[in-house]
Amino acid sequence: MKPKVLMILCATALLMAAGAGAQVDFLGLTDTLYADIAKVNDFNWTITISFSNDEAVAGLTVPLKLSAGMARIVADSAIYAGGRAEKFAYKGFRSDSALGCVLLGMIANMGPTQNQLIAGKGRLATIFVSSRDRKPIEKLTVDTTTLSPNNSLMAVADLSAMKALQDTIPAHMSKKREIIPAFLARQVK
């Protein structure tokens, strides 16, 4: 076989293997989490977290790694008001400025409520980022990561999406509730 053809076949096989372990959604189309990065002024930026899903979701974890070059930054706060997760029972925000990370956690129900993130798309929350040293932030980059104790980018499908009538599911089916969404960070002009 010619070396060029062999190289093309090997590259194709590697790309297919890399895609096989990526996003997982047993219940439908691949869902997507968006991080829209916008500059407010030289010292403050926002990250708008949006989600596109095609099934009901009961919870999400969104761990993010933030960096701004030489400027030291901190994720000050997050606001859920007006977003799709506004009525969730738990809306968490944990910032770790030493690691440059932030974790958003959202749980629809913690009791008798019937909250869920129905199929659709739109904003979940907005994170506010500022300079710690009053040095201008030239560029903010955002990526997903894994934070202790094993918080990775994930959504959990609502049991109603699985057409299950029981309030617990067998262990062999628990992984089928996990949705690993695609992640896309983009700069807003």
Side-chain angles (χ1 to χ4, degrees), residues 56-75:
V57 170
L60 295 108
T61 57
V62 182
L64 301 172
K65 175 76 173 157
L66 313 176
S67 63
M70 298 303 288
R72 295 180 349 144
I73 57 173
V74 62

PDB file of all heavy atoms in Angstrom, residues 56-75:
ATOM      1  N   ALA A  56     -36.181  16.431  28.684  1.00  0.00           N
ATOM      2  CA  ALA A  56     -36.263  17.072  29.999  1.00  0.00           C
ATOM      3  C   ALA A  56     -35.010  16.757  30.811  1.00  0.00           C
ATOM      4  O   ALA A  56     -34.516  15.627  30.800  1.00  0.00           O
ATOM      5  CB  ALA A  56     -37.510  16.587  30.735  1.00  0.00           C
ATOM      6  N   VAL A  57     -34.496  17.765  31.517  1.00  0.00           N
ATOM      7  CA  VAL A  57     -33.280  17.627  32.317  1.00  0.00           C
ATOM      8  C   VAL A  57     -33.602  17.953  33.775  1.00  0.00           C
ATOM      9  O   VAL A  57     -34.311  18.920  34.060  1.00  0.00           O
ATOM     10  CB  VAL A  57     -32.164  18.558  31.773  1.00  0.00           C
ATOM     11  CG1 VAL A  57     -30.980  18.625  32.706  1.00  0.00           C
ATOM     12  CG2 VAL A  57     -31.730  18.098  30.389  1.00  0.00           C
ATOM     13  N   ALA A  58     -33.072  17.133  34.694  1.00  0.00           N
ATOM     14  CA  ALA A  58     -33.323  17.317  36.126  1.00  0.00           C
ATOM     15  C   ALA A  58     -32.168  18.020  36.836  1.00  0.00           C
ATOM     16  O   ALA A  58     -32.348  18.546  37.925  1.00  0.00           O
ATOM     17  CB  ALA A  58     -33.581  15.976  36.790  1.00  0.00           C
ATOM     18  N   GLY A  59     -30.982  18.025  36.255  1.00  0.00           N
ATOM     19  CA  GLY A  59     -29.844  18.674  36.899  1.00  0.00           C
ATOM     20  C   GLY A  59     -28.675  18.831  35.947  1.00  0.00           C
ATOM     21  O   GLY A  59     -28.588  18.131  34.933  1.00  0.00           O
ATOM     22  N   LEU A  60     -27.775  19.760  36.289  1.00  0.00           N
ATOM     23  CA  LEU A  60     -26.585  20.000  35.477  1.00  0.00           C
ATOM     24  C   LEU A  60     -25.399  20.336  36.369  1.00  0.00           C
ATOM     25  O   LEU A  60     -25.577  20.952  37.428  1.00  0.00           O
ATOM     26  CB  LEU A  60     -26.788  21.200  34.538  1.00  0.00           C
ATOM     27  CG  LEU A  60     -27.826  21.102  33.444  1.00  0.00           C
ATOM     28  CD1 LEU A  60     -29.008  21.971  33.762  1.00  0.00           C
ATOM     29  CD2 LEU A  60     -27.225  21.544  32.141  1.00  0.00           C
ATOM     30  N   THR A  61     -24.213  19.954  35.941  1.00  0.00           N
ATOM     31  CA  THR A  61     -22.975  20.471  36.527  1.00  0.00           C
ATOM     32  C   THR A  61     -22.182  21.101  35.380  1.00  0.00           C
ATOM     33  O   THR A  61     -22.060  20.521  34.306  1.00  0.00           O
ATOM     34  CB  THR A  61     -22.114  19.382  37.204  1.00  0.00           C
ATOM     35  OG1 THR A  61     -21.797  18.359  36.257  1.00  0.00           O
ATOM     36  CG2 THR A  61     -22.824  18.781  38.391  1.00  0.00           C
ATOM     37  N   VAL A  62     -21.687  22.305  35.638  1.00  0.00           N
ATOM     38  CA  VAL A  62     -20.954  23.055  34.625  1.00  0.00           C
ATOM     39  C   VAL A  62     -19.651  23.560  35.242  1.00  0.00           C
ATOM     40  O   VAL A  62     -19.614  24.638  35.826  1.00  0.00           O
ATOM     41  CB  VAL A  62     -21.803  24.236  34.085  1.00  0.00           C
ATOM     42  CG1 VAL A  62     -21.047  24.984  32.991  1.00  0.00           C
ATOM     43  CG2 VAL A  62     -23.154  23.759  33.582  1.00  0.00           C
ATOM     44  N   PRO A  63     -18.569  22.769  35.150  1.00  0.00           N
ATOM     45  CA  PRO A  63     -17.267  23.237  35.644  1.00  0.00           C
ATOM     46  C   PRO A  63     -16.507  23.963  34.536  1.00  0.00           C
ATOM     47  O   PRO A  63     -16.413  23.469  33.415  1.00  0.00           O
ATOM     48  CB  PRO A  63     -16.566  21.934  36.028  1.00  0.00           C
ATOM     49  CG  PRO A  63     -17.155  20.909  35.114  1.00  0.00           C
ATOM     50  CD  PRO A  63     -18.553  21.371  34.773  1.00  0.00           C
ATOM     51  N   LEU A  64     -15.991  25.138  34.862  1.00  0.00           N
ATOM     52  CA  LEU A  64     -15.304  25.950  33.865  1.00  0.00           C
ATOM     53  C   LEU A  64     -13.927  26.366  34.346  1.00  0.00           C
ATOM     54  O   LEU A  64     -13.736  26.670  35.514  1.00  0.00           O
ATOM     55  CB  LEU A  64     -16.124  27.213  33.560  1.00  0.00           C
ATOM     56  CG  LEU A  64     -17.534  26.995  33.031  1.00  0.00           C
ATOM     57  CD1 LEU A  64     -18.273  28.319  32.969  1.00  0.00           C
ATOM     58  CD2 LEU A  64     -17.504  26.325  31.673  1.00  0.00           C
ATOM     59  N   LYS A  65     -12.983  26.400  33.429  1.00  0.00           N
ATOM     60  CA  LYS A  65     -11.634  26.895  33.666  1.00  0.00           C
ATOM     61  C   LYS A  65     -11.532  28.242  32.973  1.00  0.00           C
ATOM     62  O   LYS A  65     -11.820  28.363  31.784  1.00  0.00           O
ATOM     63  CB  LYS A  65     -10.610  25.907  33.101  1.00  0.00           C
ATOM     64  CG  LYS A  65      -9.182  26.367  33.185  1.00  0.00           C
ATOM     65  CD  LYS A  65      -8.661  26.237  34.577  1.00  0.00           C
ATOM     66  CE  LYS A  65      -7.169  26.551  34.595  1.00  0.00           C
ATOM     67  NZ  LYS A  65      -6.717  26.948  35.887  1.00  0.00           N
ATOM     68  N   LEU A  66     -11.141  29.274  33.735  1.00  0.00           N
ATOM     69  CA  LEU A  66     -11.041  30.632  33.204  1.00  0.00           C
ATOM     70  C   LEU A  66      -9.590  31.078  33.185  1.00  0.00           C
ATOM     71  O   LEU A  66      -8.838  30.792  34.124  1.00  0.00           O
ATOM     72  CB  LEU A  66     -11.832  31.605  34.083  1.00  0.00           C
ATOM     73  CG  LEU A  66     -13.246  31.211  34.490  1.00  0.00           C
ATOM     74  CD1 LEU A  66     -13.827  32.253  35.431  1.00  0.00           C
ATOM     75  CD2 LEU A  66     -14.125  31.025  33.286  1.00  0.00           C
ATOM     76  N   SER A  67      -9.200  31.809  32.153  1.00  0.00           N
ATOM     77  CA  SER A  67      -7.860  32.396  32.140  1.00  0.00           C
ATOM     78  C   SER A  67      -7.894  33.699  31.349  1.00  0.00           C
ATOM     79  O   SER A  67      -8.688  33.863  30.427  1.00  0.00           O
ATOM     80  CB  SER A  67      -6.828  31.425  31.554  1.00  0.00           C
ATOM     81  OG  SER A  67      -7.122  31.131  30.220  1.00  0.00           O
ATOM     82  N   ALA A  68      -6.999  34.600  31.762  1.00  0.00           N
ATOM     83  CA  ALA A  68      -6.929  35.919  31.126  1.00  0.00           C
ATOM     84  C   ALA A  68      -5.478  36.360  30.958  1.00  0.00           C
ATOM     85  O   ALA A  68      -5.137  37.508  31.221  1.00  0.00           O
ATOM     86  CB  ALA A  68      -7.714  36.932  31.943  1.00  0.00           C
ATOM     87  N   GLY A  69      -4.636  35.432  30.576  1.00  0.00           N
ATOM     88  CA  GLY A  69      -3.231  35.774  30.383  1.00  0.00           C
ATOM     89  C   GLY A  69      -2.568  36.160  31.694  1.00  0.00           C
ATOM     90  O   GLY A  69      -2.682  35.456  32.694  1.00  0.00           O
ATOM     91  N   MET A  70      -1.920  37.309  31.729  1.00  0.00           N
ATOM     92  CA  MET A  70      -1.210  37.760  32.927  1.00  0.00           C
ATOM     93  C   MET A  70      -2.123  38.448  33.947  1.00  0.00           C
ATOM     94  O   MET A  70      -1.737  38.645  35.084  1.00  0.00           O
ATOM     95  CB  MET A  70      -0.069  38.709  32.539  1.00  0.00           C
ATOM     96  CG  MET A  70       0.995  38.052  31.669  1.00  0.00           C
ATOM     97  SD  MET A  70       1.729  36.598  32.450  1.00  0.00           S
ATOM     98  CE  MET A  70       2.704  37.371  33.703  1.00  0.00           C
ATOM     99  N   ALA A  71      -3.314  38.806  33.536  1.00  0.00           N
ATOM    100  CA  ALA A  71      -4.247  39.459  34.455  1.00  0.00           C
ATOM    101  C   ALA A  71      -4.836  38.427  35.407  1.00  0.00           C
ATOM    102  O   ALA A  71      -5.261  37.359  34.991  1.00  0.00           O
ATOM    103  CB  ALA A  71      -5.361  40.144  33.671  1.00  0.00           C
ATOM    104  N   ARG A  72      -4.813  38.745  36.696  1.00  0.00           N
ATOM    105  CA  ARG A  72      -5.440  37.855  37.685  1.00  0.00           C
ATOM    106  C   ARG A  72      -6.920  38.192  37.752  1.00  0.00           C
ATOM    107  O   ARG A  72      -7.287  39.357  37.876  1.00  0.00           O
ATOM    108  CB  ARG A  72      -4.770  38.014  39.047  1.00  0.00           C
ATOM    109  CG  ARG A  72      -3.322  37.554  39.010  1.00  0.00           C
ATOM    110  CD  ARG A  72      -2.574  37.665  40.311  1.00  0.00           C
ATOM    111  NE  ARG A  72      -3.221  38.415  41.354  1.00  0.00           N
ATOM    112  CZ  ARG A  72      -3.149  38.105  42.655  1.00  0.00           C
ATOM    113  NH1 ARG A  72      -2.453  37.075  43.045  1.00  0.00           N
ATOM    114  NH2 ARG A  72      -3.737  38.856  43.564  1.00  0.00           N
ATOM    115  N   ILE A  73      -7.742  37.150  37.668  1.00  0.00           N
ATOM    116  CA  ILE A  73      -9.185  37.366  37.608  1.00  0.00           C
ATOM    117  C   ILE A  73      -9.902  36.558  38.688  1.00  0.00           C
ATOM    118  O   ILE A  73      -9.329  35.634  39.267  1.00  0.00           O
ATOM    119  CB  ILE A  73      -9.753  36.976  36.226  1.00  0.00           C
ATOM    120  CG1 ILE A  73      -9.422  35.512  35.911  1.00  0.00           C
ATOM    121  CG2 ILE A  73      -9.251  37.910  35.153  1.00  0.00           C
ATOM    122  CD1 ILE A  73     -10.073  34.982  34.662  1.00  0.00           C
ATOM    123  N   VAL A  74     -11.151  36.925  38.928  1.00  0.00           N
ATOM    124  CA  VAL A  74     -12.004  36.189  39.855  1.00  0.00           C
ATOM    125  C   VAL A  74     -13.417  36.176  39.286  1.00  0.00           C
ATOM    126  O   VAL A  74     -13.877  37.177  38.732  1.00  0.00           O
ATOM    127  CB  VAL A  74     -11.979  36.805  41.280  1.00  0.00           C
ATOM    128  CG1 VAL A  74     -12.501  38.218  41.284  1.00  0.00           C
ATOM    129  CG2 VAL A  74     -12.732  35.940  42.259  1.00  0.00           C
ATOM    130  N   ALA A  75     -14.054  35.032  39.393  1.00  0.00           N
ATOM    131  CA  ALA A  75     -15.476  34.945  39.056  1.00  0.00           C
ATOM    132  C   ALA A  75     -16.231  35.384  40.299  1.00  0.00           C
ATOM    133  O   ALA A  75     -16.254  34.691  41.306  1.00  0.00           O
ATOM    134  CB  ALA A  75     -15.840  33.527  38.651  1.00  0.00           C
TER     135      ALA A  75
END
